[in-house]
Amino acid sequence: MVGRAMVDAAARGRTTRVKSVLRVLAGWDGRQTWLTLAFCAAAREQKAEAVRVLIADGADVHWDRDITLRWAVRFGHDDIAEIILAHIFAAEKWMGKSRADIEGEAWSLYKKIKAGDALHDALEPRVLEKARIIIVDHSMTCWERVRPAGPEIVMVGPAKGEPV
């Protein structure tokens, strides 16, 4: 089956093959399912370029309560977590939103990571702290890019103060 071929190619990091299968699956009803499964496989195997290709083509990064991001954090696949977070906090998705909206998404992601899942023990504090830092970094970078412009600051020459 073509979908399985894409999942296998994604897990192996064969992005050329992934792209060709994506073209074959264009317009097919079951495409999204295979796209998301391939995304999960590529992330699990740390195939960063395949992850980028699949996200760009519409893989659901929030599938199953953000399981792929949670796995990336749990297993120390920081590069994959960074790619996923860069997509989630892409500035164009947040234009017109408030800082509270962005922080709310960041907090929601962190809570999901912290909650873990039934199949694994709780994450170590150092892993949670690292996750918190990269989530905050991406969310605040997003806010810096979308926040409304503040008042213009006008500088007037050096102050003439008394010598100390």
Side-chain angles (χ1 to χ4, degrees):
M1 171 173 251
V2 177
R4 286 187 190 146
M6 182 168 61
V7 172
D8 181 58
R12 294 170 188 252
R14 297 176 57 203
T15 55
T16 304
R17 176 78 172 131
V18 168
K19 290 175 185 179
S20 69
V21 174
L22 285 169
R23 284 191 295 276
V24 170
L25 292 177
W28 183 56
D29 286 343
R31 180 180 189 277
Q32 186 62 43
T33 300
W34 288 109
L35 182 62
T36 300
L37 290 172
F39 162 67
C40 291
R44 182 189 65 234
E45 299 301 323
Q46 288 186 278
K47 304 302 181 188
E49 191 53 36
V51 167
R52 284 186 188 92
V53 165
L54 293 159
I55 287 175
D57 213 76
D60 182 2
V61 297
H62 293 293
W63 178 72
D64 194 18
R65 296 187 65 243
D66 297 284
I67 188 109
T68 309
L69 175 61
R70 291 186 289 138
W71 286 344
V73 169
R74 172 170 294 284
F75 299 116
H77 300 168
D78 298 340
D79 56 337
I80 302 301
E82 293 275 357
I83 293 166
I84 295 169
L85 288 167
H87 175 74
I88 290 170
F89 291 108
E92 63 272 8
K93 296 177 183 178
W94 293 92
M95 292 304 225
K97 303 284 185 176
S98 70
R99 180 174 170 175
D101 293 331
I102 296 168
E103 287 177 352
E105 177 68 10
W107 178 241
S108 173
L109 290 169
Y110 179 74
K111 285 192 315 187
K112 289 175 192 174
I113 290 167
K114 187 175 181 181
D117 58 64
L119 299 176
H120 296 95
D121 294 332
L123 292 174
E124 294 178 25
R126 67 175 179 75
V127 173
L128 279 174
E129 179 63 11
K130 192 174 195 179
R132 187 189 66 77
I133 289 169
I134 64 172
I135 291 169
V136 167
D137 183 47
H138 280 276
S139 63
M140 290 299 94
T141 298
C142 176
W143 172 244
E144 288 172 3
R145 292 180 178 146
V146 302
R147 70 179 178 194
E152 186 176 331
I153 297 174
V154 179
M155 302 296 287
V156 257
K160 294 183 179 179
E162 297 290 318
V164 184

